[in-house]
Amino acid sequence: MIKKRSFVSVLLSLCIFFSIFCFGNISAINAEAKPEAVKYVTTNKQYKMDGRPILNFKIKRPVFTVKTKANKKINNYFKKLCNKYRANTLKFAKETFQENPNNPMVHSFDDKITLTYNKNGKYSFKEKFVESAGGVHPQYGTIGHNFSKKSGNKIPNSKLTKYSNKELKEKIYRKVEYLYYQYPNRFFPNALETVENKQIKDYTFYLTDKHLNVVFQCYEIASWASGPTTVKIKL
């Protein structure tokens, strides 16, 4: 009887051990998957002075739902960035109103930041904004934000792909060169010279599933009517 009870006790202990072991592994797997989950928080507010609208501010920013150390760091980065945008645009709108209270123009800022890549230890975000500040036409822009999933630190442009800086510069140049000769009226005469002289660290890059997206802003190599120019390099 004693031996039977001992056997049952050992068996029960083993079952408990394996249950804890398996549950712990499942929890670890789930924890690894969850950092991929992102929700989006939208701020949409109108600001007024003397009862008159001066700024329409709208921004959508990503928030990781699992608060790992790296994710918290990235969430805080975007929160600070959005607060900076709001402070700067509101300051400009107030100054413009004070200089000319009779100007009916309302400053507007619309910005969206979305997760475009979540692989190989990297997060990549694409930011697109439209800003109207009383000029002839609104300003458009596209910005890339790239982070390490492990540390939450920004990844330098030179570390985003397998290519050396020299190889990457050559690939970008060839892509723009092709467009330049295909659509000569679209680009500035010195567009290729601009590309040739630009350093990798100064580019706007963001990743998608199979490509590095290289962005040239309005007026950089082409006119406003052409909008930002994006070329794709295979990863």
Side-chain angles (χ1 to χ4, degrees), residues 36-88:
E36 300 181 3
V38 175
K39 68 176 182 179
Y40 292 92
V41 175
T42 299
T43 299
N44 191 359
K45 189 171 181 180
Q46 185 179 79
Y47 294 88
K48 297 181 179 181
M49 280 186 72
D50 297 340
R52 205 203 81 183
I54 61 168
L55 172 64
N56 293 320
F57 182 88
K58 184 178 181 182
I59 194 163
K60 183 176 80 171
R61 65 179 172 88
V63 177
F64 286 106
T65 57
V66 173
K67 303 301 190 290
T68 66
K69 187 176 180 180
N71 288 353
K72 285 181 180 179
K73 192 171 185 177
I74 297 169
N75 286 348
N76 191 48
Y77 170 87
F78 283 122
K79 185 177 181 180
K80 286 183 176 180
L81 182 67
C82 294
N83 287 338
K84 179 182 177 181
Y85 287 160
R86 177 163 46 188
N88 289 345

Side-chain angles (χ1 to χ4, degrees), residues 12 24 33 47 69 94 178 184:
L12 182 60
Y47 294 88
K69 187 176 180 180
K94 286 179 177 179
Y178 173 79

Side-chain angles (χ1 to χ4, degrees), residues 135-152:
V136 177
H137 46 65
Q139 296 299 313
Y140 299 88
T142 301
I143 303 170
H145 304 274
N146 305 289
F147 301 91
S148 163
K149 294 175 68 173
K150 183 178 180 180
S151 67

Side-chain angles (χ1 to χ4, degrees), residues 6-195:
S6 298
F7 175 78
V8 172
S9 298
V10 171
L11 184 62
L12 182 60
S13 297
L14 287 171
C15 289
I16 293 171
F17 172 79
F18 283 116
S19 295
I20 293 172
F21 178 78
C22 293
F23 178 78
N25 281 347
I26 291 170
S27 298
I29 292 169
N30 287 340
E32 178 65 22
K34 283 182 178 178
E36 300 181 3
V38 175
K39 68 176 182 179
Y40 292 92
V41 175
T42 299
T43 299
N44 191 359
K45 189 171 181 180
Q46 185 179 79
Y47 294 88
K48 297 181 179 181
M49 280 186 72
D50 297 340
R52 205 203 81 183
I54 61 168
L55 172 64
N56 293 320
F57 182 88
K58 184 178 181 182
I59 194 163
K60 183 176 80 171
R61 65 179 172 88
V63 177
F64 286 106
T65 57
V66 173
K67 303 301 190 290
T68 66
K69 187 176 180 180
N71 288 353
K72 285 181 180 179
K73 192 171 185 177
I74 297 169
N75 286 348
N76 191 48
Y77 170 87
F78 283 122
K79 185 177 181 180
K80 286 183 176 180
L81 182 67
C82 294
N83 287 338
K84 179 182 177 181
Y85 287 160
R86 177 163 46 188
N88 289 345
T89 52
L90 184 57
K91 179 183 178 182
F92 183 83
K94 286 179 177 179
E95 290 174 350
T96 301
F97 177 81
Q98 290 169 347
E99 290 173 1
N100 188 1
N102 296 319
N103 187 347
M105 178 67 192
V106 179
H107 191 131
S108 67
F109 185 84
D110 193 329
D111 187 88
K112 296 178 182 178
I113 306 169
T114 53
L115 179 67
T116 58
Y117 186 88
N118 182 10
K119 281 176 154 185
N120 303 318
K122 300 182 184 75
Y123 289 132
S124 188
F125 297 84
K126 176 184 179 181
E127 177 182 358
K128 291 189 70 176
F129 71 86
V130 181
E131 182 174 14
S132 180
V136 177
H137 46 65
Q139 296 299 313
Y140 299 88
T142 301
I143 303 170
H145 304 274
N146 305 289
F147 301 91
S148 163
K149 294 175 68 173
K150 183 178 180 180
S151 67
N153 294 331
K154 277 206 158 187
I155 301 174
N157 286 347
S158 59
K159 302 295 184 182
L160 285 176
T161 70
K162 61 186 177 182
Y163 307 113
S164 67
N165 283 359
K166 182 179 179 181
E167 290 172 327
L168 192 51
K169 282 194 68 172
E170 289 175 353
K171 287 180 178 294
I172 294 170
Y173 185 90
R174 297 305 173 202
K175 289 281 184 176
V176 177
E177 183 182 44
Y178 173 79
L179 293 174
Y180 181 85
Y181 288 113
Q182 284 288 109
Y183 311 100
N185 295 329
R186 175 180 169 184
F187 295 93
F188 295 145
N190 65 338
L192 293 179
E193 183 181 346
T194 299
V195 176

